[in-house]
Amino acid sequence: MDIVVCVKRVPTSDTAVKIAADGTSFDPAGVQYELNAYDEFAIEQALQIKEKLGTGSVTVVTLGPKDAQKELRDALARGADKAVLLVTDKWVFDSWSAGTALANWIKTVPCNLVLCGRQAIDADNNQMPPRLAAMLGFGCVTEVSKLDLVDGVFTAERDIEGAREVVTCRTPAVISCQKGLNAPRYANLKGIMAAKKKPLDEVPAAMPDAAMAIVSMSLPAPRAAGKIVGNGADAVPALVAALRNEAKVL
Amino acid sequence: MSQNILVVAEVRGGAVKRPSLEAVAAATKLAAKNGGKVIALAVGSGLDAACATLATSGAHQVVAAESAALAQFSGDGFARVVAEQVKANGCGAVLMAHTAMGKDLLPRVAALLDTGLVSDVVALDFADGTYTARKPVFAGKAFVQVRATRNPFVATLRPNNFEPTTGAAAPVAKVAANAGDLLSVVKEIVAAASDKVPLQEAKVVVAGGRGLKEPQHFKLIEDLAAAFGPGVAAVGASRAVVDAGWRPHGEQVGQTGKVVSPPLYFAIGISGAIQHLAGMRTARTIVAINKDPEAPIFKVADYGIVGDAFEVVPALTEAIRQAVAAR
């Protein structure tokens, strides 16, 4: 099976977001980046499927800045065979234009499975996997936390509101990976050395203008500071009284 | 381009889910501005009861696209039917609730219509011929206001954010849906234990973190949640304890977990890392219990107790139990 894993370089989850001077993006000053957390499960799943089948390839692709080489090298060190960086300097926010660039690239390579993280934790658009599936004519299951492949058919499990869904999906397919699907491996020294010799191609991203233009970006109103009602178990009656009489939530 | 708005209803067990009625209500406000009609669409089989509900939800027209082959959800099968109805009804906008089904279906619809999609929308507007929407980014650490530059406008709306409405009985039209060749199909839905409240729907969330020291100490958290009575409170967890394997990921609150905004949130033994705050800062009332008076959680908490969770939580559980019993 030829597997393409779509990943994204995103600001770390402990980033305190500040607004850029133009008011339509985040201020990159001092921001640290990392591989989108959910993409780790997609990479791991690709490696496990390849190991189980004993054949096939794992190609990792991203749409992002040149600096995203770092995240791609990390994926190669974990065991991916090949990486491709579709280079753009813009913050990849709009999923229609990004999806167009990604799907058009995927169509040029052998691929019968696309694995993605459930969502990128910067834009939180939560739509790339099914969007790619429709553009590629593939089946799709989203937010998968258990996955089996038998005779070219996936059986996937995912959480929905108050229940769990079991979904079957033919290949070719796009699967979006939820935390809990697997335990991602980390790169070891041997992997890191091997990754230096693996191909990492850079291609300018063919990304059309956005379908969703950001008019403005803003921070939510800060919460007013609360009060410490007391210390230890002795403070419990005062807390319960406040919840009942002030906050009126009891 | 027509200004009609198609709202895709989520039907489960023959009934319309409440967030779909919220989406219809949001659509009627847009329609009042642009003069379009709101068309509520139900896809699947056994849709009569759902259509009766949709008919009085404020929609101008209800369409039931029926197919026995679509009795269970299929992302690709449903998307094809929805995209056909968007074209057949001349719609300039497509809305659905931002639920597990909406997140799976509407991006496919947007791709088939070769257009954008704005997800998890908390506010919508139509002015000067253009749709605009507000959505959270970075798990709510910031918000963006976006303007659609392609047609139709497609959006998923955050549940519990728009109020449902009612309207005069709208006509219901039945059409035969062409299911086509299905690539993915739901085979089974396994209901969660009936006494468990979904985290994002709970009125009270009691969340624990590393301050509890051992996984078995989450019994304190579960007991406090249970003290609110059946069906009221859900247990949440910080990323640290989920990553340590103490609790399942389904309970994680934060940027790489769930974003919750219950009326009452307890953060117990949780220091309040930025990525956790992103998941709960919109709760109406936040209570923090932590032995470190400098913990960042106290900066967002409405009420704090500085103290040892092992001492404070059992006392609080007993006090809540009495308060609930006295109601």
Side-chain angles (χ1 to χ4, degrees):
Chain A
M1 190 165 269
D2 291 307
I3 306 170
V4 169
V5 186
C6 300
V7 302
K8 190 174 185 185
R9 172 183 166 89
V10 298
T12 57
S13 62
D14 59 1
T15 301
V17 176
K18 296 190 192 83
I19 309 299
D22 68 0
T24 65
S25 186
F26 65 94
D27 182 354
V31 172
Q32 302 289 310
Y33 294 84
E34 64 186 2
L35 180 67
N36 181 50
Y38 295 109
D39 302 346
E40 299 197 25
F41 304 102
I43 294 168
E44 178 62 31
Q45 199 62 32
L47 298 174
Q48 288 188 12
I49 290 172
K50 186 187 161 189
E51 285 162 2
K52 190 178 167 198
L53 298 178
T55 174
S57 65
V58 175
T59 303
V60 182
V61 62
T62 194
L63 194 59
K66 286 205 169 223
D67 289 342
Q69 278 186 1
K70 178 174 163 283
E71 283 69 31
L72 293 177
R73 284 281 173 219
D74 178 28
L76 292 172
R78 292 176 198 228
D81 301 303
K82 192 180 168 200
V84 175
L85 174 52
L86 305 175
V87 183
T88 174
D89 290 335
K90 288 185 223 162
W91 178 36
V92 178
F93 172 77
D94 172 57
S95 299
W96 173 78
S97 52
T100 301
L102 274 174
N104 285 342
W105 177 82
I106 292 170
K107 284 175 186 169
T108 67
V109 298
C111 174
N112 29 32
L113 175 62
V114 177
L115 292 169
C116 305
R118 164 191 122 176
Q119 73 192 82
I121 64 160
D122 54 352
D124 283 339
N125 279 328
N126 223 309
Q127 57 179 283
M128 190 59 84
R131 183 180 275 282
L132 287 176
M135 296 181 78
L136 298 167
F138 287 14
C140 181
V141 193
T142 51
E143 306 195 355
V144 170
S145 51
K146 187 168 186 293
L147 186 67
D148 289 310
L149 172 64
V150 178
D151 297 334
V153 177
F154 285 109
T155 299
E157 292 186 22
R158 68 192 210 109
D159 286 334
I160 61 170
E161 293 78 10
R164 199 160 166 81
E165 253 179 12
V166 183
V167 188
T168 58
C169 182
R170 302 194 329 229
T171 43
V174 180
I175 302 288
S176 95
C177 303
Q178 170 69 299
K179 189 169 181 174
L181 175 61
N182 52 45
R185 72 194 71 183
Y186 294 97
N188 56 27
L189 188 61
K190 189 167 160 247
I192 292 167
M193 295 310 286
K196 291 181 180 171
K197 296 195 186 95
K198 290 179 180 175
L200 194 167
D201 297 338
E202 287 185 21
V203 187
M207 204 161 59
D209 288 341
M212 291 292 165
I214 299 179
V215 179
S216 63
M217 186 163 166
S218 57
L219 299 179
R223 280 188 84 97
K227 61 182 175 195
I228 301 285
V229 294
N231 290 285
D234 295 346
V236 166
L239 172 65
V240 172
L243 292 177
R244 186 190 291 122
N245 305 325
E246 249 175 55
K248 302 194 189 301
V249 285
L250 282 186
Chain B
M1 171 130 261
S2 161
Q3 302 298 359
N4 290 344
I5 301 167
L6 189 81
V7 179
V8 185
E10 177 168 343
V11 181
R12 291 200 182 270
V16 181
K17 298 291 280 183
R18 180 189 148 105
S20 301
L21 302 175
E22 297 166 5
V24 172
T28 58
K29 289 198 175 139
L30 293 174
K33 291 184 179 179
N34 66 17
K37 281 187 185 163
V38 175
I39 299 154
L41 172 68
V43 181
S45 70
L47 301 173
D48 290 354
C51 288
T53 306
L54 291 169
T56 55
S57 65
H60 302 99
Q61 167 82 54
V62 178
V63 176
E66 296 184 307
S67 163
L70 296 176
Q72 293 288 350
F73 178 71
S74 160
D76 47 296
F78 274 47
R80 216 159 23 233
V81 173
V82 173
E84 274 171 20
Q85 289 299 318
V86 171
K87 289 174 185 163
N89 291 286
C91 295
V94 189
L95 307 180
M96 191 171 177
H98 191 70
T99 59
M101 189 189 284
K103 286 186 275 182
D104 193 288
L105 175 58
L106 233 51
R108 283 200 87 113
V109 172
L112 293 178
L113 299 170
D114 198 19
T115 190
L117 184 160
V118 53
S119 58
D120 202 14
V121 165
V122 295
L124 273 171
D125 200 8
F126 179 89
D128 303 326
T130 303
Y131 286 97
T132 54
R134 184 173 150 84
K135 81 173 287 286
V137 291
F138 298 99
K141 287 184 209 167
F143 286 81
V144 289
Q145 181 80 16
V146 300
R147 176 173 49 81
T149 64
R150 289 182 73 84
N151 285 314
F153 170 76
V154 183
T156 55
L157 312 189
R158 171 170 283 201
N160 298 319
N161 187 69
F162 298 92
E163 271 301 307
T165 178
T166 54
V172 178
K174 289 191 178 188
V175 299
N178 176 18
D181 184 26
L182 302 179
L183 301 173
S184 73
V185 183
V186 171
K187 285 292 168 198
E188 193 186 355
I189 296 177
V190 185
S194 58
D195 60 339
K196 262 196 141 182
V197 202
L199 190 55
Q200 282 159 305
E201 294 170 23
K203 292 192 173 66
V204 179
V205 172
V206 184
R210 212 155 24 187
L212 292 162
K213 295 194 174 76
E214 303 277 349
Q216 62 269 28
H217 295 154
F218 255 75
K219 177 84 169 49
L220 291 174
I221 302 296
E222 287 166 353
D223 288 349
L224 176 53
F228 285 91
V232 177
V235 170
S238 71
R239 179 177 181 169
V241 302
V242 170
D243 285 351
W246 296 6
R247 304 300 295 184
H249 175 242
E251 290 181 1
Q252 187 182 324
V253 173
Q255 194 169 4
T256 53
K258 292 193 169 76
V259 175
V260 299
S261 49
L264 180 57
Y265 187 92
F266 290 89
I268 299 168
I270 293 176
S271 63
I274 287 171
Q275 75 92 21
H276 184 77
L277 301 182
M280 43 66 84
R281 67 186 305 285
T282 54
R284 198 162 80 220
T285 300
I286 297 172
V287 176
I289 299 167
N290 203 297
K291 66 178 185 195
D292 175 10
E294 302 301 320
I297 194 74
F298 287 121
K299 292 206 170 62
V300 299
D302 300 285
Y303 303 105
I305 292 182
V306 178
D308 189 340
F310 301 103
E311 185 200 320
V312 176
V313 177
L316 179 58
T317 300
E318 189 48 41
I320 294 290
R321 212 174 269 145
Q322 286 173 13
V324 169
R327 267 200 304 232

